[in-house]
Amino acid sequence: MVKYVFVTGGVVSGLGKGITAASLGRLLKARGYKVTMQKFDPYLNVDPGTMNPIQHGEVFVTDDGTETDLDLGHYERFIDENLDHNANVTSGKVYWSVLNKERHGDYGGGTVQVIPHITNEIKSRFYRPASPVGADTVAIIEVGGTVGDIESQAFYEAIRQFQQEIGPKNSCMIHVTLIPYLYGSRELKTKPTQQSVKELQQMGIRADVIVCRSEMEIPQYLKDKIALFCNVPTNHVLQNLNADSIYEVPLMMEQEKLAQAVCECLDLPCPEPDLSDWQQMVNNLKNSQQTVEIALVGKYTQLHDAYLSVVEALHHGGIANCVKVNIRWVDSEEVEREGCEALLSGIDGMIVPGGFGNRGTEGMIQAATYAMKNRIPYLGICLGMQMAVVAFAREVLDYHDANSTEFAPDTIHPVIDLLPEQKDVENLGGTMRLGAYPCVLEEDSIAYRLYGKKEISERHRHRWEFNNDYREVMQEHGMRLCGQSPDGRIVEMIELEDHPFFVGTQAHPEFKSRPNRCHPLFKGLVAAARAHEEGTAEE
């Protein structure tokens, strides 16, 4: 059996629909249900792969190489399941599919319209297979944007039709709204929520559960008022207050009985959940006494969501090491202008994440050189690894013009070069080296010690790679090529021999980190930062 939960938003965007949906997924999984999750976004891009990170946030990559919305990262971290291409659907994908079918003649010469052709295409992507292990499956489907947006109307119409097709007790509609507080009159206002639910009702959709985001406790009489005007039971009006950490939200929503309300709508049993491991993780997060400061040196620091998975993985590393991680946000362009000492002095560790384009890369190279010289724990991810290789070539090999051909096509020492299979690629979307690829580690390396095994798999998103022409000279001068593709063709990971922790990976390990199962590289970075902090304190 498959039951469906739709999560929509009202009043304003950015209320945390994704965290609400992911929290529900964690609560249902803790009760023994099989949980799958999807994000439906109304924008016309086929996927977010070509979007500017400063505008849209990070692009999350699944094992099968799908470039997706960042909410899928929350889904994977909360329900601890690897998602695939079915989990992120955009209007662009829907229209692309319908138009290709029209060109192929699949509609028999009929007029192609939003209803029924677009809505049928959307509905076909709602349906999920039942769990093969015998447990009931709950499919949680989040709709991006805000109810009333013109671009999302086809999604809501598809939901209305879908709910009729599958019948009562097989779907549940959660509507996430805002209860604003007016400081002038010192009162919480429910009218925006009423108006938002009314907008849903005009589309033929009834809210079953209303999750009210608020900065203040919502008194019972206001919950009663919302229930009355929005035609829901009082116990289905739930508050969702601000939390110190997103990982507290499932526990807070358990207290609000979110899972119970949903199970009631779906006519499912609601046994007591096993949240002991999650509770322990949150306790470790909140009660860590020691603090380390790690600099995140990037080019998209104006929008922290551009590095969302990196930030979360750093916090996971803190949880695993029983320390609190303070992140020092450093714009790599400012490093170029102000220098490393001014911006990086006093840190315990450094991470340089991925990115594209020339802007700010010289600052990344300077930062990697600073970590190299001062023996500061360093983790370079994708572009961060590439810039570390360039820094090594300039500092150790005296290749002063060394660079990546992405930024300096005519450099005499192209230590980073375009992947051979990328040389004839013209389209930008979905054409990189994407998804999970295997890697073989050297058994006496830091990476091997952290992973505890020789063969690993990590997710990738890149076009450039370590230039194999420089393998021998790099190794002769102290760089270890500690991780390679199974055929030995691609350098996947590097380390410096005479350094406590200087690791670069061409992959994006942040995508596989979980709050209660930290990724080994982030666990290792934070542990090295803790050792650095303790050594500094002793001095």
Side-chain angles (χ1 to χ4, degrees), residues 52-55 57 294-308 310-311 327-335 337 343 351-355 359-360 364:
N52 188 328
I54 296 176
Q55 176 186 355
I294 295 179
L296 191 156
V297 184
K299 58 192 297 181
Y300 311 125
T301 54
Q302 303 98 308
L303 181 68
H304 291 184
D305 274 359
Y307 300 116
L308 181 60
V310 172
V311 170
I327 297 174
R328 184 188 296 186
W329 291 87
V330 179
D331 188 327
S332 57
E333 283 190 290
E334 290 187 16
V335 175
R337 294 190 295 267
L343 298 172
I351 187 165
V352 179
R359 182 180 61 82
M364 293 180 177

Side-chain angles (χ1 to χ4, degrees), residues 272-334:
E272 285 297 311
D274 181 6
L275 292 166
S276 54
D277 62 334
W278 197 268
Q279 181 70 65
Q280 184 60 53
M281 178 270 295
V282 171
N283 288 339
N284 292 344
L285 175 65
K286 296 177 68 174
N287 297 316
S288 297
Q289 301 299 316
Q290 188 176 355
T291 300
V292 297
E293 185 169 22
I294 295 179
L296 191 156
V297 184
K299 58 192 297 181
Y300 311 125
T301 54
Q302 303 98 308
L303 181 68
H304 291 184
D305 274 359
Y307 300 116
L308 181 60
S309 291
V310 172
V311 170
E312 293 306 318
L314 284 172
H315 292 314
H316 303 166
I319 294 168
N321 286 282
C322 298
V323 299
K324 180 181 179 182
V325 176
N326 286 339
I327 297 174
R328 184 188 296 186
W329 291 87
V330 179
D331 188 327
S332 57
E333 283 190 290
E334 290 187 16

